[in-house]
Amino acid sequence: MSLFSLDGKVAIITGSSRGIGKAIAERMAEQGAKVVISSRKADACQAVVDAIDARHGAGTAIAVPANISSKDDLRRLVDTTQERFGRIDTVVCNAASNPYYGPLGGIEDDQFRKILENNVIANHWLIQMAVPQMIERKDGSIIIVSSIGGLRGSPVIGAYNISKAADFQLARNLAVEYGKHNIRVNCIAPGLIRTDFARALWEDPEALKRRTATTPLGRIGEPDEIAGAAVFLASPAATFLTGQSIVIDGGVTI
Ligand SMILES: NC(=O)c1ccc[n+]([C@@H]2O[C@H](COP(=O)([O-])OP(=O)(O)OC[C@H]3O[C@@H](n4cnc5c(N)ncnc54)[C@H](OP(=O)(O)O)[C@@H]3O)[C@@H](O)[C@H]2O)c1
């Protein structure tokens, strides 16, 4: 089997109707995985499923809409995947929220709570739900999409950055807890990537210029440039890698 093959594996990817999650799902399917496409909008998920199935064969992908804020939705996501594909080898906790821009001094409790709930606690829920069958099979790869924001302070997205820093520690802690079951837990920390989520940071030409001036590779990233790391972390190439974070940012944090 090729070092990077995902043949026979099943992956749930949250937030996979567009952006980074969609790119991860497409590349995982290309490597042979069955993929579960999930976001809040059924139509958007189905469009991604149709495109993946057209390329890789009917039944490669299924759509299971789920809001990560809802424990019931996440339970349905896991149960439906089990019913349809019989196993879950990889969970990619990719969907996240950032409803507040500004200094921490001005954030409402509900906004801070929403950020921590969606970006940290929801990841914990989904992992907790998917892990028992991984423990039974003594195999699993969990991937949390964090951010380089979790490595830095910011006057504008402080609460989001705190949540992403917590994701690094969530991966480290779960790696300790589940290592004995051969379940690996890692993060990917993207820099600025051209998606809707980060539109405010790249659409304005002046902001983009400032940003790329301090980026060694001189540009921002594309969603597909994150997908390879997710394939790697889910594949036989990464079987001794756990509790780590892979920074993919064009060098901006160095
Ligand atoms: N883009 C960047 O520069 C960047 C940098 C560092 C880290 N990241 C991280 O990368 C991840 C993906 O972001 P992206 O840039 O790819 O964003 P994106 O293009 O806006 O995609 C976000 C995805 O998440 C889904 N989603 C949003 N809220 C959700 C919820 N409550 N429940 C379920 N699904 C939800 C969206 O679909 P629906 O709206 O249909 O639900 C969509 O599929 C996030 O964790 C983000 O923090 C992004």
Side-chain angles (χ1 to χ4, degrees):
M1 195 199 258
S2 140
L3 202 50
F4 299 98
S5 170
L6 302 182
D7 262 348
K9 291 195 188 291
V10 174
I12 292 175
I13 304 110
T14 64
S16 43
S17 62
R18 59 174 193 267
I20 291 169
K22 178 178 171 221
I24 290 173
E26 286 172 343
R27 289 297 187 175
M28 285 189 165
E30 193 176 274
Q31 293 304 318
K34 304 275 190 222
V35 291
V36 181
I37 306 302
S38 190
S39 85
R40 290 166 299 184
K41 298 190 189 92
D43 290 358
C45 292
Q46 193 54 49
V48 175
V49 166
D50 291 345
I52 289 176
D53 277 3
R55 219 168 303 138
H56 303 292
T60 303
I62 59 169
V64 186
N67 187 333
I68 56 166
S69 311
S70 159
K71 222 171 177 174
D72 289 344
D73 279 12
L74 293 178
R75 168 53 60 204
R76 200 168 31 77
L77 175 60
V78 166
D79 289 350
T80 308
T81 305
Q82 285 278 21
E83 280 161 33
R84 295 287 299 276
F85 288 139
R87 59 193 285 155
I88 303 162
D89 298 276
T90 296
V91 173
V92 185
C93 300
N94 167 71
S97 302
N98 187 23
Y100 176 76
Y101 286 86
L104 271 177
I107 194 167
E108 299 292 337
D109 286 352
D110 280 352
Q111 292 170 316
F112 206 164
R113 221 172 265 128
K114 171 62 78 184
I115 291 171
L116 295 177
E117 280 174 6
N118 276 5
N119 300 1
V120 187
I121 311 268
N123 293 345
H124 160 69
W125 285 343
L126 178 58
I127 293 165
Q128 226 182 8
M129 290 172 192
V131 119
Q133 53 82 42
M134 292 180 177
I135 291 176
E136 255 172 52
R137 290 185 295 99
K138 280 211 148 302
D139 191 36
S141 172
I142 293 159
I143 301 164
I144 301 169
V145 179
S146 175
S147 166
I148 59 165
L151 301 167
R152 299 169 136 187
S154 160
V156 181
I157 53 169
Y160 169 82
N161 284 0
I162 288 166
S163 74
K164 293 298 186 173
D167 281 332
F168 293 138
Q169 185 60 17
L170 183 63
R172 281 189 287 262
N173 215 79
L174 294 180
V176 167
E177 293 185 26
Y178 295 130
K180 61 176 177 287
H181 301 294
N182 192 36
I183 296 166
R184 299 173 297 101
V185 191
N186 293 287
C187 285
I188 296 173
L192 183 54
I193 307 296
R194 196 185 312 275
T195 70
D196 291 344
F197 188 79
R199 190 172 284 280
L201 302 174
W202 55 260
E203 208 168 41
D204 167 33
E206 279 310 308
L208 181 63
K209 208 161 136 191
R210 275 196 306 277
R211 175 64 178 228
T212 51
T214 58
T215 305
L217 288 181
R219 62 179 179 83
I220 67 169
E222 302 298 331
D224 194 45
E225 294 181 285
I226 304 302
V231 168
F232 165 62
L233 289 171
S235 78
T239 48
F240 200 47
L241 206 172
T242 196
Q244 297 301 316
S245 298
I246 301 180
V247 171
I248 308 175
D249 67 348
V252 77
T253 49
I254 57 175

